[in-house]
Amino acid sequence: MSDLPGGGPQLNVFGDPLAPCSGRGSPRTGFYRTGCCESGPDDVGSHTVCAVMSAEFLEFSKARGNDLSTPRPEYGFPGLKPGDRWCLCAPRWQEAFLAGHAPQVVLAASHYGALQYASLDDLRRFAVQG
């Protein structure tokens, strides 16, 4: 991935170039809706963990006030379903991890900024191949 204005290089948790999180289809993920978990200074939520949605996590997130499963056509958002990949806010992933509801992650597609909130060891415990 290329550098974003003011954001520096887009690297994953291993320091390698960031891989795409989701394909070209809908829904497009990432703070910049590029399909990658790119981050920059304007991404205050740190949308940096490429997570594989599960029914358990979607329910957990909804209960915490962030309903990712309900379609929002006014925003062009069809709603997520289990198996979808989404650039999740790293603090939300860490919250789910501590509560025992963390979704799986794609490490090669997770931005190094996620390491400000979650340890690489914890992320590795939930890793799936990209």
Side-chain angles (χ1 to χ4, degrees), residues 44-118:
V44 295
S46 188
H47 296 75
T48 51
V49 176
C50 180
V52 181
M53 296 296 102
S54 66
E56 178 185 7
F57 173 76
L58 289 169
E59 283 300 316
F60 172 81
S61 188
K62 186 175 184 178
R64 292 292 198 266
N66 187 19
D67 183 359
L68 297 171
S69 55
T70 300
R72 299 290 306 264
E74 67 272 27
Y75 299 113
F77 181 69
L80 299 176
K81 60 187 182 318
D84 285 342
R85 292 182 179 188
W86 193 249
C87 293
L88 191 60
C89 292
R92 174 70 67 188
W93 187 91
Q94 182 65 16
E95 177 187 14
F97 169 74
L98 292 173
H101 301 289
Q104 294 180 309
V105 298
V106 180
L107 294 175
S110 294
H111 191 277
Y112 71 89
L115 299 177
Q116 294 177 7
Y117 302 92

